Amino acid sequence: MTKAPGFDAKFHESFRDLLAWRRDVRRFQKLAPPDGTLEHLFALACLAPSVGLSQPWRFVVVDDKDRRAAIRADFERCNQEALGDYSGARARLYATLKLAGLDAAPIQFAVFADRDATEGHGLGRRTMPEMTEYSAVMAVHTLWLAARVEGLGLGWVSILDPSRVAEILEVPASWRFIGYFCLGYPEREEHTPELEREGWEKRRPPAEVILKR
């Protein structure tokens, strides 16, 4: 039997700092991380839990400038449409928010969940097939924390049309779009989420989201 590692008080404190300083970054330096960094982060992401050990996450690295431009154009269209959902002061605030780092981030990739993944033999998905997507999200979160350890920031771009992204990236029809991500060194370090600093929303205390039955 392999002995489990111990996690002392110093590690506990550092781990909490890691969670607190994980940010959805939208402002990047153009400096690229060292070669091999992305592959290292993907390897760590693959340690995430998955339903039935299906490992349904699929990473699509986007280096082609034309595909990046097409993603950027789709974001602009979707963002303009989203603006129409708001009015008054909320619309004016939305128009000022920086919601993506697509212009500066040196690394961009998309994450999909393969609904036809045969690994895991369907275990855990009969009554909740959406566990495939949830598993891919767990991989994203694992990668997010790993990136923070490397001094990198990750930005999740969700203001996109999933079908258009799949078309641009030419992925199989069974792959479900999870998100498009920008990765790089943050322009500046911030402890507080940007949307909170800009007055869009504030964090709720844990007591407000915990129910006991």
Side-chain angles (χ1 to χ4, degrees), residues 21-28 33 38 41-42 45 59 99-101 105-111 136-157 178-189 194:
W21 280 90
R22 179 216 54 79
R23 291 275 65 80
D24 186 359
V25 176
R26 302 178 181 90
R27 304 173 193 276
F28 295 93
L38 186 58
L41 295 178
F42 285 157
F59 304 104
L99 299 176
I107 295 175
Q108 298 181 24
F109 62 92
V111 177
V137 172
M138 290 296 295
V140 169
H141 188 250
T142 302
L143 189 150
W144 214 321
L145 295 181
R148 175 68 272 189
V149 171
E150 300 292 334
L152 296 167
L154 191 70
W156 188 329
V157 185
I178 300 299
Y180 192 87
F181 297 89
C182 297
L183 178 71
Y185 294 107
E187 206 173 69
R188 59 178 181 268
E189 300 285 359
E194 183 166 346

Side-chain angles (χ1 to χ4, degrees), residues 32-177:
D35 290 344
T37 297
L38 186 58
E39 291 74 16
H40 169 67
L41 295 178
F42 285 157
L44 293 176
C46 289
L47 296 176
S50 62
V51 62
L53 199 58
S54 58
Q55 307 152 80
W57 41 75
R58 304 291 182 261
F59 304 104
V60 180
V61 181
V62 184
D63 291 329
D64 182 81
K65 65 178 182 179
D66 292 333
R67 295 184 199 268
R68 285 192 178 194
I71 293 289
R72 183 73 168 81
D74 188 62
F75 166 78
E76 289 294 340
R77 181 182 62 80
C78 292
N79 194 44
Q80 191 61 36
E81 291 177 356
L83 177 59
D85 292 340
Y86 303 100
S87 60
R90 182 64 63 174
R92 290 191 292 273
L93 177 56
Y94 184 95
T96 67
L97 297 174
K98 182 173 177 56
L99 299 176
L102 294 166
D103 294 328
I107 295 175
Q108 298 181 24
F109 62 92
V111 177
F112 294 84
D114 183 1
R115 286 186 159 184
D116 286 349
T118 57
E119 293 83 359
H121 310 285
L123 190 155
R125 287 181 276 174
R126 183 176 182 275
T127 57
M128 291 186 66
E130 64 271 23
M131 286 298 294
T132 298
E133 286 90 325
Y134 297 163
S135 297
V137 172
M138 290 296 295
V140 169
H141 188 250
T142 302
L143 189 150
W144 214 321
L145 295 181
R148 175 68 272 189
V149 171
E150 300 292 334
L152 296 167
L154 191 70
W156 188 329
V157 185
S158 61
I159 307 174
L160 292 166
D161 177 354
S163 61
R164 176 60 180 145
V165 174
E167 178 185 358
I168 293 169
L169 301 182
E170 299 182 84
V171 300
S174 64
W175 289 16
R176 177 73 179 272
F177 179 60

